[in-house]
Amino acid sequence: MTQYENVPENFYEYKFFKHDRMSTKFYVIAVWTLLSFVVKVNAQDKVECWDRFELSFKQVTKGNPFDTRLSATFICGKEKKTVEGFYDGENTYRIRFMPAVAGEWRYVTSSSIGAMNGRKGTFTVVPAGKDNHGMVLVDGEHNFKYADGTRYYPMGTTAYAWTHMKETTQEATLKSFGEAGFNKVRMCVFPKNYSLVKDEPALYPFEIEKTIKDKEGNERKEWDFDRFDPAFFQHLEKRIDQLNRLGIEADLILFHPYDKGRWGFDAMSNEVNVRYIKYITARLASFRNVWWSMANEWDYVKAKTVDDWKLLTKTVVENDPYRHLCSIHGATATYFDYWMPEFTHVSIQDEAPVLSSTASATLRKIYRKPVICDEVGYEGNLPYRWGRLSPQQMTYFILNGLLGGIYVTHGECYQQGNEPIFWAQGGSLKGESWKRVKFLRTILEAAPYPLEMADISRDLVTSTAGPDYYLVNMGKDVKGFWTFNLPVKNADYNKLQKNKRFKVEIIDVWAMTVTEYPVIFETTEELDYRVFDIHHRGVRIPDTPYIVLRITEVK
């Protein structure tokens, strides 16, 4: 709906007063006074749960429009939430709200500008559609779910600066995301300046105050940190919405060290950092597929201390009325205080936890929060040790993490001529591990419950996904034969009993095949904390690595 409010009947007469009827000073004051009472309000009548309801105001204001205070309180029954508004350029202010409850909602605005203050209205929230599961939340201690209760297993990738590349590369990146079946992507808000990534973005988060040249003749921009560039954020929002339509969560990295003085976004004062956080949360918190990653390799950002990171993290959480997922990411094996209540999950860069499933399982036991190894290295051909994993090794790391009950983010960095490197610039995928990520996601989603080790520290290969549901990891060695045997302990589920009948499926992760073995096994009585097949049978395994056995009860 559109509304024009508080327009004086003789406004146009006032507006066209001749100068000889008043002084120039009085004329200017009169025009500004009248403009402050003219506001065009736009709002929807109906939205789905977890979609965005938006109020927009066309309003001319004096001074810096980014300093204008604007918020709204939304009420439906016992549900009540206050959200901040923001200036979006071209005399437009917006308030965005993500309702989580169906029903009739009402709102009232509050503003330092009289024409936007005390505006009231109502709208209807209807149940979510079939592809709308809401925002992702923590499920219990170690896992995730959507707001509607649907399980969510993060099977994502990394493309740090993809939204800062040329348009054709961005479109190719979106196509790759869709083909790969990723459901999360790690991406930076600020552009990236790195030895392999030197692209100059078309848009910047702040207005350019002036451009100067250094002694070498290189241009350097100086920013007006009091004024954001709405076009930059509008473009980011467009891409986040496109990810949402693909079912992908945008794990937004708010700060990073890959600047090195080129733009100076890594060395802003905390006053500017807080202002930026308040602005971006006002704009993006209503996007249901947003996560907050405080930083990538936070310890390399030399302008910030641990206390600074804690302050900025608290600022994000305090200004996010919906409590989106939030974490921080360090350099290799650099851990933060992930026990902070502001952090919903652990986001780390470390290979050690995925060298085996039990290492992964131990890490999650320590933190008692969901753990994501957001960087264990990248499949690629770079000379650096972090960027030259074989596709098999990348797949093996992901598999070990999943079977240990944590999650592992995919990454790819093949350098081929002038083509974009996916890990930073996006573009087209060139490797092989991404195909196995998509396959493993189907294995996870077919299980009745999330995976974890069945008998942690005692059994190094057996994982469970519920009562009488197991995955046994043969690893990257060729086994040839596996004698049927399972631990009696089954995590927190009931212990495994005798006379249970099981079928075995051979999952070839690399070949991406599932083959049922033509034997039904039956368990014996417990023998030294394990059960075996009553006929002492086993499974003939293909002479290839990366085999997982799925063992499920036959009713």
Side-chain angles (χ1 to χ4, degrees):
M1 58 184 151
T2 302
Q3 299 172 341
Y4 292 88
E5 302 183 9
N6 291 348
V7 182
E9 291 181 2
N10 53 352
F11 167 70
Y12 296 102
E13 177 184 342
Y14 290 148
K15 185 176 180 182
F16 292 105
F17 270 152
K18 295 180 181 179
H19 283 271
D20 59 3
R21 293 182 60 186
M22 62 175 68
S23 69
T24 301
K25 180 178 179 181
F26 182 70
Y27 172 76
V28 172
I29 293 173
V31 169
W32 272 111
T33 301
L34 290 166
L35 286 174
S36 69
F37 283 98
V38 179
V39 60
K40 176 184 176 183
V41 185
N42 288 301
Q44 305 112 295
D45 294 316
K46 184 183 296 184
V47 296
E48 287 186 6
C49 276
W50 305 299
D51 267 354
R52 287 193 304 280
F53 172 80
E54 183 173 292
L55 288 168
S56 65
F57 303 85
K58 276 291 186 181
Q59 176 65 40
V60 178
T61 54
K62 291 187 292 185
N64 183 356
F66 294 98
D67 291 334
T68 299
R69 182 179 58 79
L70 177 64
S71 65
T73 298
F74 295 84
I75 300 171
C76 177
K78 294 182 180 180
E79 297 291 322
K80 182 178 180 180
K81 201 172 289 291
T82 298
V83 301
E84 296 298 317
F86 61 93
Y87 181 64
D88 199 25
E90 298 183 350
N91 300 320
T92 301
Y93 293 83
R94 302 188 192 279
I95 299 172
R96 291 171 175 164
F97 174 59
M98 180 179 66
V101 175
E104 296 300 311
W105 285 80
R106 67 183 191 275
Y107 63 84
V108 59
T109 66
S110 176
S111 178
S112 56
I113 302 297
M116 296 191 294
N117 186 52
R119 296 288 174 244
K120 297 179 180 180
T122 61
F123 62 98
T124 302
V125 176
V126 298
K130 67 180 183 67
D131 295 323
N132 176 1
H133 300 293
M135 57 187 282
V136 176
L137 309 168
V138 170
D139 182 20
E141 279 193 346
H142 302 296
N143 299 292
F144 300 97
K145 65 180 178 182
Y146 290 103
D148 70 352
T150 303
R151 296 191 189 281
Y152 170 81
Y153 300 100
M155 299 294 282
T157 192
T158 297
Y160 288 124
W162 77 276
T163 61
H164 303 290
M165 300 299 110
K166 59 185 180 181
E167 286 294 310
T168 53
T169 301
Q170 294 182 46
E171 293 301 323
T173 307
L174 285 167
K175 182 180 178 182
S176 296
F177 289 157
E179 291 174 348
F182 295 125
N183 62 10
K184 181 173 89 82
V185 58
R186 300 175 64 227
M187 52 189 282
C188 298
V189 175
F190 292 125
K192 185 171 182 175
N193 177 40
Y194 198 76
S195 59
L196 298 170
V197 187
K198 292 292 184 180
D199 306 73
E200 188 69 28
L203 298 167
Y204 305 95
F206 299 95
E207 286 188 9
I208 301 172
E209 194 168 66
K210 60 181 177 180
T211 301
I212 62 176
K213 288 189 176 181
D214 59 23
K215 295 179 180 179
E216 287 74 34
N218 299 315
E219 287 191 349
R220 185 168 64 85
K221 296 175 176 62
E222 293 190 355
W223 312 101
D224 183 347
F225 286 119
D226 290 329
R227 293 176 180 266
F228 299 98
D229 182 357
F232 173 92
F233 293 93
Q234 291 162 6
H235 174 74
L236 178 62
E237 290 162 356
K238 170 187 171 183
R239 295 309 188 196
I240 293 172
D241 269 336
Q242 289 172 318
L243 292 176
N244 184 53
R245 288 193 286 273
L246 292 172
I248 299 174
E249 302 293 303
D251 194 356
L252 288 181
I253 299 167
L254 298 177
F255 299 95
H256 65 68
Y258 322 114
D259 189 309
K260 307 181 190 305
R262 180 171 172 181
W263 302 293
F265 301 140
D266 60 338
M268 301 184 300
S269 69
N270 267 353
E271 180 182 2
V272 175
N273 292 333
V274 168
R275 186 179 179 89
Y276 154 66
I277 285 173
K278 289 183 176 181
Y279 187 72
I280 199 169
T281 50
R283 292 195 70 116
L284 297 182
S286 59
F287 288 63
R288 65 174 178 265
N289 64 320
V290 159
W291 300 17
W292 308 119
S293 178
M294 295 306 305
N296 205 67
E297 298 187 320
W298 63 266
D299 47 317
Y300 288 167
V301 184
K302 301 306 179 184
K304 295 179 179 60
T305 65
V306 169
D307 286 340
D308 290 334
W309 288 122
K310 290 183 177 181
L311 166 69
L312 298 177
T313 302
K314 291 178 186 293
T315 303
V316 167
V317 173
E318 289 168 0
N319 286 275
D320 176 3
Y322 315 102
R323 193 64 170 99
H324 287 272
L325 297 178
C326 179
S327 194
I328 192 170
H329 173 93
T332 303
T334 303
Y335 288 67
F336 204 85
D337 179 7
Y338 290 108
W339 287 283
M340 284 176 57
E342 287 80 10
F343 293 131
T344 55
H345 64 286
V346 178
S347 170
I348 57 170
Q349 176 184 154
D350 202 352
E351 283 188 21
V354 295
L355 293 176
S356 70
S357 296
T358 49
S360 300
T362 300
L363 187 64
R364 86 179 208 143
K365 284 286 187 182
I366 292 170
Y367 282 108
R368 296 195 175 277
K369 289 184 177 182
V371 175
I372 306 179
C373 281
D374 270 319
E375 184 180 332
V376 296
Y378 298 94
E379 176 189 347
N381 62 355
L382 299 184
Y384 315 107
R385 61 182 179 179
W386 54 265
R388 60 187 185 203
L389 294 181
S390 69
Q392 292 85 356
Q393 190 69 20
M394 181 85 250
T395 302
Y396 180 64
F397 283 164
I398 293 171
L399 178 62
N400 279 343
L402 295 177
L403 293 175
I406 70 171
Y407 303 95
V408 183
T409 299
H410 162 272
E412 179 186 298
C413 53
Y414 285 102
Q415 189 171 28
Q416 296 181 1
N418 294 322
E419 294 182 27
I421 304 176
F422 197 87
W423 130 90
Q425 297 156 305
S428 300
L429 289 157
K430 303 175 179 64
E432 289 293 326
S433 61
W434 66 267
K435 302 172 187 176
R436 281 77 196 173
V437 172
K438 187 175 184 178
F439 174 72
L440 286 169
R441 182 179 166 188
T442 67
I443 300 299
L444 285 179
E445 293 176 349
Y449 297 100
L451 282 167
E452 59 182 308
M453 297 299 291
D455 192 1
I456 186 172
S457 82
R458 306 288 180 153
D459 183 314
L460 305 183
V461 298
T462 307
S463 300
T464 179
D468 306 315
Y469 192 109
Y470 303 89
L471 292 179
V472 179
N473 185 13
M474 298 290 103
K476 56 183 177 181
D477 297 326
V478 176
K479 303 293 186 183
F481 187 83
W482 174 77
T483 300
F484 185 95
N485 71 106
L486 294 169
V488 170
K489 181 174 174 57
N490 188 26
D492 292 328
Y493 304 108
N494 292 332
K495 290 184 176 181
L496 183 54
Q497 303 296 316
K498 66 177 182 179
N499 301 130
K500 291 274 190 176
R501 301 172 72 243
F502 288 94
K503 71 175 182 179
V504 176
E505 294 167 289
I506 299 172
I507 301 173
D508 187 328
V509 175
W510 188 251
M512 298 179 286
T513 60
V514 179
T515 306
E516 186 169 336
Y517 197 70
V519 173
I520 300 298
F521 299 89
E522 187 173 343
T523 58
T524 61
E525 290 186 350
E526 176 185 334
L527 177 62
D528 195 22
Y529 303 99
R530 302 192 77 78
V531 297
F532 298 83
D533 174 60
I534 58 173
H535 299 297
H536 309 292
R537 293 170 297 182
V539 177
R540 181 68 60 186
I541 301 171
D543 294 330
T544 57
Y546 314 112
I547 297 294
V548 174
L549 303 179
R550 180 163 58 191
I551 303 163
T552 55
E553 185 183 9
V554 176
K555 299 294 186 181

